[in-house]
Every structure is written in structure tokens, then in C-alpha cells.
Amino acid sequence: MTLLVSGMLLFIAIHLLPTAVSLRAGLVERLGALPYRGLFALISALALVMIVMGKGQAPMVPLWTPPSWGRAFTAPLVLLGFILLVAAYLPSNLRRLTPHPMLGGVILWALGHLLANGDQASAILFGGFAAYSVVAIASANRRGATRARIKQPWYWDLLVVLVGSALWTGVLMFHGKLFGVPLF
């Protein structure tokens, strides 16, 4: 459990760094923009490895019994989460609905998993990512995040849905190999 908690704390800490605008600016000034980004990516990757390994090693400590209908909502919530994740990287009209498609996608992914899992490690992992995303959205909004105003052609929306759906399908098919929890 220590590895999971340490990984979550490291991941959240490094991702909250941009909310401390003056601290981030000082680091960029001292290190340079490219080395800062490289260090950010390296620490993020290390934290993710710690999280995945920690979740895999964590003991099964039940905290609650997920609702009987919870698993039925997991797949569609995670699908919408993947579509929003893709919308963070490709132009689409989803950015006209929210300035935070990735964070919204993370919240849906986390909520979907919390509906299907009631153990301590899942609460730490998925609850931690959901809580971080809510804080990050609030912080970005305070710093002036706004929705896109330019209408994109419909084919970008279609591409976002198709790519998000393809990624979701791949993760669904290989969930057991990737995360040790087969879904079929």
C-alpha cells in the first residue's frame, strides 16, 4: 500500500505544481522550459509506475460493497472518459462545452471504477485521481480557463469519438494483461 500511496502523492504533487504559478515560473526560469518539461514528464512517469505496481501489490481490503448496478455504468462512463481524453488533444466542439476535457474524462473514468470497486486500494487510486481532477479544474478556472469559442467542423468530433472509442476498446480487450484484472 505504501508504494501506491507514495505514487499517488508524487503524481498529484507534481501535477499541482502548475497551480503554484510563481513556483513553477521560478523552476522554468532556473531550469529552462525544456528541462522543466522533461523533469515533469520523468517524475510523472515514475509516479505512474509506482501507482500501477502499488495497486498490483496492494492487499484486498474491502471498504464498501459496490452497488449491484455499478458495473453496468462503468463501461459507458469510462468510454465517455476516453472520448474526453482524446478531445484534450484534438480539435473538437467538446472544447466548446468544457475547457477541461481531460480532467472531466479522468473524473468519469474514476467514478466508473469506484462504482465497480469497493476496496481500499481502488478508493485511494480512483478517489485520488477524481479529487485531484476537481481541484485542478477549480484551480484552472481561478486562473482564467475558458471554453473554446471557435466552432470546429463536424468531422473533428467524429474523429474524437472514433479514436476515443478505439482506445477504450483496446483497453477493454487487454485490461487483464495491462492491469491484471480481466474484464471478460
Side-chain angles (χ1 to χ4, degrees), residues 4 8 13 18-19 35 46 54 57 64 67 76 90 101-102 108-109 111-113 115 124 134-135 137-138 161 170:
L4 172 61
M8 286 299 298
T19 66
L46 172 65
Q57 297 170 1
W64 70 86
L90 294 177
M102 181 185 297
L108 292 175
W109 166 82
L111 290 177
H113 283 82
L115 286 172
I124 291 168
V134 169
V135 169
I137 287 171
V161 170

PDB file of all heavy atoms in Angstrom, residues 4 8 13 18-19 35 46 54 57 64 67 76 90 101-102 108-109 111-113 115 124 134-135 137-138 161 170:
ATOM      1  N   LEU A   4       1.697   2.454  -3.538  1.00  0.00           N
ATOM      2  CA  LEU A   4       0.535   3.089  -4.171  1.00  0.00           C
ATOM      3  C   LEU A   4       0.329   4.501  -3.634  1.00  0.00           C
ATOM      4  O   LEU A   4       0.187   5.461  -4.407  1.00  0.00           O
ATOM      5  CB  LEU A   4      -0.721   2.251  -3.944  1.00  0.00           C
ATOM      6  CG  LEU A   4      -2.057   2.877  -4.395  1.00  0.00           C
ATOM      7  CD1 LEU A   4      -2.065   3.154  -5.885  1.00  0.00           C
ATOM      8  CD2 LEU A   4      -3.221   1.974  -4.002  1.00  0.00           C
ATOM      9  N   MET A   8       0.765   7.977  -5.715  1.00  0.00           N
ATOM     10  CA  MET A   8      -0.347   8.935  -5.836  1.00  0.00           C
ATOM     11  C   MET A   8       0.067  10.312  -5.340  1.00  0.00           C
ATOM     12  O   MET A   8      -0.212  11.329  -5.999  1.00  0.00           O
ATOM     13  CB  MET A   8      -1.574   8.446  -5.056  1.00  0.00           C
ATOM     14  CG  MET A   8      -2.316   7.291  -5.698  1.00  0.00           C
ATOM     15  SD  MET A   8      -2.989   7.640  -7.333  1.00  0.00           S
ATOM     16  CE  MET A   8      -4.132   8.961  -6.972  1.00  0.00           C
ATOM     17  N   ALA A  13       1.276  15.744  -6.447  1.00  0.00           N
ATOM     18  CA  ALA A  13       2.146  16.885  -6.120  1.00  0.00           C
ATOM     19  C   ALA A  13       2.749  17.502  -7.380  1.00  0.00           C
ATOM     20  O   ALA A  13       2.717  18.729  -7.552  1.00  0.00           O
ATOM     21  CB  ALA A  13       3.255  16.449  -5.160  1.00  0.00           C
ATOM     22  N   PRO A  18       1.836  23.269 -11.389  1.00  0.00           N
ATOM     23  CA  PRO A  18       1.420  24.404 -12.225  1.00  0.00           C
ATOM     24  C   PRO A  18       0.422  25.342 -11.548  1.00  0.00           C
ATOM     25  O   PRO A  18       0.284  26.496 -11.951  1.00  0.00           O
ATOM     26  CB  PRO A  18       0.794  23.738 -13.452  1.00  0.00           C
ATOM     27  CG  PRO A  18       1.455  22.406 -13.531  1.00  0.00           C
ATOM     28  CD  PRO A  18       1.664  21.991 -12.092  1.00  0.00           C
ATOM     29  N   THR A  19      -0.281  24.874 -10.520  1.00  0.00           N
ATOM     30  CA  THR A  19      -1.216  25.757  -9.824  1.00  0.00           C
ATOM     31  C   THR A  19      -0.482  26.752  -8.934  1.00  0.00           C
ATOM     32  O   THR A  19      -1.043  27.785  -8.586  1.00  0.00           O
ATOM     33  CB  THR A  19      -2.220  24.957  -8.965  1.00  0.00           C
ATOM     34  OG1 THR A  19      -1.532  24.314  -7.904  1.00  0.00           O
ATOM     35  CG2 THR A  19      -2.968  23.929  -9.799  1.00  0.00           C
ATOM     36  N   PRO A  35      14.030  21.531 -20.121  1.00  0.00           N
ATOM     37  CA  PRO A  35      14.397  20.656 -18.992  1.00  0.00           C
ATOM     38  C   PRO A  35      13.283  20.552 -17.939  1.00  0.00           C
ATOM     39  O   PRO A  35      13.081  19.476 -17.360  1.00  0.00           O
ATOM     40  CB  PRO A  35      15.639  21.317 -18.407  1.00  0.00           C
ATOM     41  CG  PRO A  35      16.228  22.092 -19.530  1.00  0.00           C
ATOM     42  CD  PRO A  35      15.043  22.562 -20.343  1.00  0.00           C
ATOM     43  N   LEU A  46       7.491   8.113 -13.448  1.00  0.00           N
ATOM     44  CA  LEU A  46       7.907   7.363 -12.265  1.00  0.00           C
ATOM     45  C   LEU A  46       6.724   7.170 -11.318  1.00  0.00           C
ATOM     46  O   LEU A  46       6.497   6.073 -10.799  1.00  0.00           O
ATOM     47  CB  LEU A  46       9.046   8.085 -11.545  1.00  0.00           C
ATOM     48  CG  LEU A  46       9.460   7.514 -10.188  1.00  0.00           C
ATOM     49  CD1 LEU A  46      10.036   6.118 -10.345  1.00  0.00           C
ATOM     50  CD2 LEU A  46      10.456   8.444  -9.509  1.00  0.00           C
ATOM     51  N   GLY A  54       2.087  -0.421  -7.175  1.00  0.00           N
ATOM     52  CA  GLY A  54       1.486  -0.373  -5.845  1.00  0.00           C
ATOM     53  C   GLY A  54       0.081  -0.925  -5.815  1.00  0.00           C
ATOM     54  O   GLY A  54      -0.298  -1.648  -4.889  1.00  0.00           O
ATOM     55  N   GLN A  57       0.210  -4.688  -5.990  1.00  0.00           N
ATOM     56  CA  GLN A  57       0.704  -5.324  -4.771  1.00  0.00           C
ATOM     57  C   GLN A  57      -0.201  -5.090  -3.560  1.00  0.00           C
ATOM     58  O   GLN A  57      -0.017  -5.729  -2.528  1.00  0.00           O
ATOM     59  CB  GLN A  57       2.102  -4.787  -4.431  1.00  0.00           C
ATOM     60  CG  GLN A  57       3.150  -5.085  -5.456  1.00  0.00           C
ATOM     61  CD  GLN A  57       4.444  -4.333  -5.200  1.00  0.00           C
ATOM     62  OE1 GLN A  57       4.579  -3.594  -4.231  1.00  0.00           O
ATOM     63  NE2 GLN A  57       5.408  -4.507  -6.101  1.00  0.00           N
ATOM     64  N   TRP A  64     -16.433  -1.034   1.116  1.00  0.00           N
ATOM     65  CA  TRP A  64     -17.876  -0.997   0.894  1.00  0.00           C
ATOM     66  C   TRP A  64     -18.215  -2.022  -0.181  1.00  0.00           C
ATOM     67  O   TRP A  64     -17.342  -2.477  -0.911  1.00  0.00           O
ATOM     68  CB  TRP A  64     -18.377   0.389   0.498  1.00  0.00           C
ATOM     69  CG  TRP A  64     -17.964   0.842  -0.881  1.00  0.00           C
ATOM     70  CD1 TRP A  64     -18.604   0.572  -2.058  1.00  0.00           C
ATOM     71  CD2 TRP A  64     -16.828   1.628  -1.230  1.00  0.00           C
ATOM     72  NE1 TRP A  64     -17.936   1.154  -3.117  1.00  0.00           N
ATOM     73  CE2 TRP A  64     -16.834   1.806  -2.632  1.00  0.00           C
ATOM     74  CE3 TRP A  64     -15.807   2.208  -0.503  1.00  0.00           C
ATOM     75  CZ2 TRP A  64     -15.864   2.525  -3.307  1.00  0.00           C
ATOM     76  CZ3 TRP A  64     -14.843   2.933  -1.179  1.00  0.00           C
ATOM     77  CH2 TRP A  64     -14.885   3.078  -2.559  1.00  0.00           C
ATOM     78  N   PRO A  67     -22.547  -1.024  -5.532  1.00  0.00           N
ATOM     79  CA  PRO A  67     -23.951  -1.308  -5.858  1.00  0.00           C
ATOM     80  C   PRO A  67     -24.047  -2.354  -6.970  1.00  0.00           C
ATOM     81  O   PRO A  67     -23.167  -2.433  -7.833  1.00  0.00           O
ATOM     82  CB  PRO A  67     -24.495   0.046  -6.317  1.00  0.00           C
ATOM     83  CG  PRO A  67     -23.304   0.844  -6.696  1.00  0.00           C
ATOM     84  CD  PRO A  67     -22.166   0.347  -5.862  1.00  0.00           C
ATOM     85  N   PRO A  76     -19.770   2.535 -19.847  1.00  0.00           N
ATOM     86  CA  PRO A  76     -20.119   3.777 -20.549  1.00  0.00           C
ATOM     87  C   PRO A  76     -19.436   5.013 -19.964  1.00  0.00           C
ATOM     88  O   PRO A  76     -19.067   5.924 -20.710  1.00  0.00           O
ATOM     89  CB  PRO A  76     -21.636   3.881 -20.414  1.00  0.00           C
ATOM     90  CG  PRO A  76     -22.092   2.746 -19.600  1.00  0.00           C
ATOM     91  CD  PRO A  76     -20.941   1.846 -19.332  1.00  0.00           C
ATOM     92  N   LEU A  90      -7.150  16.751 -29.565  1.00  0.00           N
ATOM     93  CA  LEU A  90      -7.582  17.028 -30.937  1.00  0.00           C
ATOM     94  C   LEU A  90      -8.620  18.146 -30.919  1.00  0.00           C
ATOM     95  O   LEU A  90      -9.394  18.247 -29.978  1.00  0.00           O
ATOM     96  CB  LEU A  90      -8.215  15.777 -31.566  1.00  0.00           C
ATOM     97  CG  LEU A  90      -7.304  14.580 -31.799  1.00  0.00           C
ATOM     98  CD1 LEU A  90      -8.116  13.412 -32.363  1.00  0.00           C
ATOM     99  CD2 LEU A  90      -6.173  14.931 -32.750  1.00  0.00           C
ATOM    100  N   PRO A 101     -11.417  19.046 -20.901  1.00  0.00           N
ATOM    101  CA  PRO A 101     -11.890  17.721 -21.306  1.00  0.00           C
ATOM    102  C   PRO A 101     -11.107  16.579 -20.656  1.00  0.00           C
ATOM    103  O   PRO A 101     -11.698  15.572 -20.261  1.00  0.00           O
ATOM    104  CB  PRO A 101     -11.749  17.723 -22.827  1.00  0.00           C
ATOM    105  CG  PRO A 101     -10.813  18.833 -23.140  1.00  0.00           C
ATOM    106  CD  PRO A 101     -10.946  19.834 -22.041  1.00  0.00           C
ATOM    107  N   MET A 102      -9.791  16.715 -20.523  1.00  0.00           N
ATOM    108  CA  MET A 102      -9.019  15.632 -19.929  1.00  0.00           C
ATOM    109  C   MET A 102      -9.405  15.409 -18.468  1.00  0.00           C
ATOM    110  O   MET A 102      -9.619  14.275 -18.037  1.00  0.00           O
ATOM    111  CB  MET A 102      -7.518  15.881 -20.018  1.00  0.00           C
ATOM    112  CG  MET A 102      -6.722  14.718 -19.417  1.00  0.00           C
ATOM    113  SD  MET A 102      -4.960  14.971 -19.333  1.00  0.00           S
ATOM    114  CE  MET A 102      -4.560  15.098 -21.047  1.00  0.00           C
ATOM    115  N   LEU A 108     -14.767  10.967 -14.929  1.00  0.00           N
ATOM    116  CA  LEU A 108     -15.688   9.912 -15.365  1.00  0.00           C
ATOM    117  C   LEU A 108     -15.043   8.532 -15.237  1.00  0.00           C
ATOM    118  O   LEU A 108     -15.683   7.570 -14.799  1.00  0.00           O
ATOM    119  CB  LEU A 108     -16.152  10.163 -16.800  1.00  0.00           C
ATOM    120  CG  LEU A 108     -17.045  11.379 -16.992  1.00  0.00           C
ATOM    121  CD1 LEU A 108     -17.339  11.587 -18.475  1.00  0.00           C
ATOM    122  CD2 LEU A 108     -18.341  11.235 -16.211  1.00  0.00           C
ATOM    123  N   TRP A 109     -13.773   8.407 -15.631  1.00  0.00           N
ATOM    124  CA  TRP A 109     -13.030   7.149 -15.512  1.00  0.00           C
ATOM    125  C   TRP A 109     -12.979   6.718 -14.048  1.00  0.00           C
ATOM    126  O   TRP A 109     -13.257   5.554 -13.722  1.00  0.00           O
ATOM    127  CB  TRP A 109     -11.631   7.361 -16.088  1.00  0.00           C
ATOM    128  CG  TRP A 109     -10.625   6.310 -15.768  1.00  0.00           C
ATOM    129  CD1 TRP A 109     -10.460   5.110 -16.405  1.00  0.00           C
ATOM    130  CD2 TRP A 109      -9.633   6.367 -14.743  1.00  0.00           C
ATOM    131  NE1 TRP A 109      -9.430   4.427 -15.825  1.00  0.00           N
ATOM    132  CE2 TRP A 109      -8.899   5.175 -14.809  1.00  0.00           C
ATOM    133  CE3 TRP A 109      -9.290   7.313 -13.786  1.00  0.00           C
ATOM    134  CZ2 TRP A 109      -7.847   4.903 -13.946  1.00  0.00           C
ATOM    135  CZ3 TRP A 109      -8.238   7.048 -12.935  1.00  0.00           C
ATOM    136  CH2 TRP A 109      -7.522   5.853 -13.016  1.00  0.00           C
ATOM    137  N   LEU A 111     -14.933   7.713 -11.453  1.00  0.00           N
ATOM    138  CA  LEU A 111     -16.260   7.398 -10.921  1.00  0.00           C
ATOM    139  C   LEU A 111     -16.750   6.033 -11.407  1.00  0.00           C
ATOM    140  O   LEU A 111     -17.332   5.265 -10.639  1.00  0.00           O
ATOM    141  CB  LEU A 111     -17.265   8.485 -11.297  1.00  0.00           C
ATOM    142  CG  LEU A 111     -17.094   9.834 -10.593  1.00  0.00           C
ATOM    143  CD1 LEU A 111     -18.101  10.835 -11.118  1.00  0.00           C
ATOM    144  CD2 LEU A 111     -17.197   9.694  -9.090  1.00  0.00           C
ATOM    145  N   GLY A 112     -16.507   5.753 -12.678  1.00  0.00           N
ATOM    146  CA  GLY A 112     -16.882   4.445 -13.201  1.00  0.00           C
ATOM    147  C   GLY A 112     -16.216   3.316 -12.440  1.00  0.00           C
ATOM    148  O   GLY A 112     -16.853   2.314 -12.095  1.00  0.00           O
ATOM    149  N   HIS A 113     -14.938   3.474 -12.154  1.00  0.00           N
ATOM    150  CA  HIS A 113     -14.219   2.434 -11.425  1.00  0.00           C
ATOM    151  C   HIS A 113     -14.642   2.365  -9.953  1.00  0.00           C
ATOM    152  O   HIS A 113     -14.657   1.279  -9.367  1.00  0.00           O
ATOM    153  CB  HIS A 113     -12.715   2.631 -11.556  1.00  0.00           C
ATOM    154  CG  HIS A 113     -12.186   2.177 -12.881  1.00  0.00           C
ATOM    155  ND1 HIS A 113     -12.256   2.959 -14.002  1.00  0.00           N
ATOM    156  CD2 HIS A 113     -11.623   1.005 -13.248  1.00  0.00           C
ATOM    157  CE1 HIS A 113     -11.736   2.286 -15.018  1.00  0.00           C
ATOM    158  NE2 HIS A 113     -11.346   1.097 -14.597  1.00  0.00           N
ATOM    159  N   LEU A 115     -17.608   2.825  -8.924  1.00  0.00           N
ATOM    160  CA  LEU A 115     -18.900   2.133  -8.911  1.00  0.00           C
ATOM    161  C   LEU A 115     -18.733   0.613  -8.955  1.00  0.00           C
ATOM    162  O   LEU A 115     -19.628  -0.130  -8.563  1.00  0.00           O
ATOM    163  CB  LEU A 115     -19.766   2.567 -10.096  1.00  0.00           C
ATOM    164  CG  LEU A 115     -20.384   3.949  -9.995  1.00  0.00           C
ATOM    165  CD1 LEU A 115     -21.056   4.327 -11.303  1.00  0.00           C
ATOM    166  CD2 LEU A 115     -21.377   4.007  -8.844  1.00  0.00           C
ATOM    167  N   ILE A 124      -8.213   4.678  -2.944  1.00  0.00           N
ATOM    168  CA  ILE A 124      -7.044   5.563  -2.978  1.00  0.00           C
ATOM    169  C   ILE A 124      -6.735   5.966  -4.413  1.00  0.00           C
ATOM    170  O   ILE A 124      -6.542   7.150  -4.714  1.00  0.00           O
ATOM    171  CB  ILE A 124      -5.830   4.890  -2.310  1.00  0.00           C
ATOM    172  CG1 ILE A 124      -6.069   4.761  -0.802  1.00  0.00           C
ATOM    173  CG2 ILE A 124      -4.541   5.660  -2.597  1.00  0.00           C
ATOM    174  CD1 ILE A 124      -5.085   3.860  -0.093  1.00  0.00           C
ATOM    175  N   VAL A 134     -10.895  17.443  -9.647  1.00  0.00           N
ATOM    176  CA  VAL A 134     -11.802  18.505  -9.201  1.00  0.00           C
ATOM    177  C   VAL A 134     -10.989  19.723  -8.752  1.00  0.00           C
ATOM    178  O   VAL A 134     -11.306  20.869  -9.114  1.00  0.00           O
ATOM    179  CB  VAL A 134     -12.726  17.989  -8.068  1.00  0.00           C
ATOM    180  CG1 VAL A 134     -13.477  19.129  -7.407  1.00  0.00           C
ATOM    181  CG2 VAL A 134     -13.690  16.946  -8.612  1.00  0.00           C
ATOM    182  N   VAL A 135      -9.933  19.500  -7.978  1.00  0.00           N
ATOM    183  CA  VAL A 135      -9.072  20.601  -7.512  1.00  0.00           C
ATOM    184  C   VAL A 135      -8.399  21.284  -8.697  1.00  0.00           C
ATOM    185  O   VAL A 135      -8.332  22.514  -8.768  1.00  0.00           O
ATOM    186  CB  VAL A 135      -8.025  20.086  -6.496  1.00  0.00           C
ATOM    187  CG1 VAL A 135      -6.962  21.135  -6.209  1.00  0.00           C
ATOM    188  CG2 VAL A 135      -8.707  19.642  -5.207  1.00  0.00           C
ATOM    189  N   ILE A 137      -9.430  21.456 -11.831  1.00  0.00           N
ATOM    190  CA  ILE A 137     -10.428  22.231 -12.580  1.00  0.00           C
ATOM    191  C   ILE A 137     -10.687  23.561 -11.877  1.00  0.00           C
ATOM    192  O   ILE A 137     -10.703  24.627 -12.515  1.00  0.00           O
ATOM    193  CB  ILE A 137     -11.733  21.430 -12.763  1.00  0.00           C
ATOM    194  CG1 ILE A 137     -11.538  20.326 -13.797  1.00  0.00           C
ATOM    195  CG2 ILE A 137     -12.888  22.346 -13.169  1.00  0.00           C
ATOM    196  CD1 ILE A 137     -12.692  19.339 -13.891  1.00  0.00           C
ATOM    197  N   ALA A 138     -10.883  23.507 -10.566  1.00  0.00           N
ATOM    198  CA  ALA A 138     -11.138  24.743  -9.811  1.00  0.00           C
ATOM    199  C   ALA A 138      -9.957  25.699  -9.920  1.00  0.00           C
ATOM    200  O   ALA A 138     -10.137  26.909 -10.121  1.00  0.00           O
ATOM    201  CB  ALA A 138     -11.425  24.419  -8.346  1.00  0.00           C
ATOM    202  N   VAL A 161     -14.534  10.944 -31.306  1.00  0.00           N
ATOM    203  CA  VAL A 161     -15.349   9.822 -30.826  1.00  0.00           C
ATOM    204  C   VAL A 161     -14.760   8.490 -31.306  1.00  0.00           C
ATOM    205  O   VAL A 161     -14.668   7.526 -30.532  1.00  0.00           O
ATOM    206  CB  VAL A 161     -16.819   9.979 -31.265  1.00  0.00           C
ATOM    207  CG1 VAL A 161     -17.618   8.715 -30.991  1.00  0.00           C
ATOM    208  CG2 VAL A 161     -17.449  11.176 -30.565  1.00  0.00           C
ATOM    209  N   GLY A 170      -9.532  -1.070 -27.033  1.00  0.00           N
ATOM    210  CA  GLY A 170      -8.230  -1.706 -26.801  1.00  0.00           C
ATOM    211  C   GLY A 170      -7.966  -1.956 -25.330  1.00  0.00           C
ATOM    212  O   GLY A 170      -7.523  -3.047 -24.939  1.00  0.00           O
TER     213      GLY A 170
END
